[in-house]
Amino acid sequence: MRLHLLVLLVALPPGLAASGQSRTMLYPPPNPDVVCWQPGVKLRWKDFAARSFPAHLSYPGSARLAACCTAEIAVLPYRDEHDRPTLLVESFFVKSKSWVRDSTRFDNQLVLAHEQLHFDINELFARKIRQKIAQHHAGTRASPGLDLQDEIGLLLKAENVFNQSFDQETHQDPSLPRLQKWQALVARELAALQEYQSTACTCGQ
């Protein structure tokens, strides 16, 4: 039930920015392999489209995993409504890199809820990155630079630590109450960062 988290950070060279009219036009493009994080929309087992556990992710103990969720954060150059250079942050799930051993298992709903929480954690840290970018713009008129990239890098490392703590604790105690404890924690943090919520959507979800 552990997560494989693949983080995509696209660095912004000094002075470089992309053009665009709206967030949803930039990333992700129409892609049947991608599920954007959206409030009230949950992952389904049919979204876990990898036919087998990805060989390059194997490690001691991976043979016992029930599922593998690949969630990504994209940080991309962008111009806002005032034509100022900034960064666009999106949170999404990749179907072809996500795998489930047996979605008909007796505990499949608990396993799916575990993977959903990894996706919610992905969105939580995407919001933290958006908040950091907003704070940068509030304090300076400068374009995003190396200092901001370093801060984003620290948040991505913190996300990995958070996910590892979640997996370790729920592996030791895979009960519903333990999962609900983490769900409540993540829900509180998501609510506190509501203004930085993802706005991209996936058609058909």
Side-chain angles (χ1 to χ4, degrees), residues 26 72 84 102 112 153 181:
L26 278 174
E72 299 184 5
R84 296 173 300 192
D102 180 7
L112 184 57
K181 167 196 164 184

Side-chain angles (χ1 to χ4, degrees), residues 70-89:
T70 296
E72 299 184 5
I73 293 175
V75 182
L76 302 171
Y78 175 67
R79 282 192 176 274
D80 65 15
E81 64 274 17
H82 303 293
D83 200 36
R84 296 173 300 192
T86 183
L87 294 171
L88 175 71
V89 181

Side-chain angles (χ1 to χ4, degrees), residues 35-43 91 116 119-120 123 127 130 190 194 196-202 205:
V35 177
C36 297
W37 191 96
Q38 300 166 80
V41 177
K42 301 296 184 182
L43 295 174
S91 170
Q116 176 64 51
F119 194 21
D120 292 341
E123 165 65 9
R127 292 186 188 188
R130 294 186 196 106
L190 284 171
Q194 177 72 27
Y196 303 105
Q197 175 179 293
S198 286
T199 59
C201 64
T202 306
Q205 290 297 312

Side-chain angles (χ1 to χ4, degrees), residues 79-197:
R79 282 192 176 274
D80 65 15
E81 64 274 17
H82 303 293
D83 200 36
R84 296 173 300 192
T86 183
L87 294 171
L88 175 71
V89 181
E90 297 296 0
S91 170
F92 55 96
F93 171 93
V94 184
K95 296 180 181 181
S96 63
K97 297 178 182 178
S98 300
W99 166 88
V100 57
R101 184 181 302 281
D102 180 7
S103 62
T104 66
R105 281 175 41 146
F106 71 94
D107 61 346
N108 66 337
Q109 291 306 310
L110 187 62
V111 174
L112 184 57
H114 179 104
E115 302 307 318
Q116 176 64 51
L117 192 55
H118 276 303
F119 194 21
D120 292 341
I121 292 169
N122 197 70
E123 165 65 9
L124 171 61
F125 279 85
R127 292 186 188 188
K128 289 179 184 241
I129 293 171
R130 294 186 196 106
Q131 180 187 44
K132 186 64 66 177
I133 293 169
Q135 290 171 343
H136 168 83
H137 288 307
T140 177
R141 294 184 179 181
S143 301
L146 294 178
D147 289 346
L148 180 58
Q149 291 181 35
D150 288 344
E151 293 183 49
I152 291 173
L154 291 175
L155 284 171
L156 294 174
K157 290 179 181 179
E159 179 188 12
N160 282 322
V161 171
F162 194 101
N163 273 296
Q164 289 169 8
S165 297
F166 168 49
D167 272 330
Q168 289 171 0
E169 187 171 324
T170 53
H171 176 73
Q172 294 171 355
D173 178 7
S175 65
L176 178 59
R178 181 65 61 179
L179 177 63
Q180 289 174 329
K181 167 196 164 184
W182 281 90
Q183 287 174 324
L185 170 63
V186 173
R188 286 195 301 270
E189 295 204 26
L190 284 171
L193 295 170
Q194 177 72 27
E195 65 181 296
Y196 303 105
Q197 175 179 293

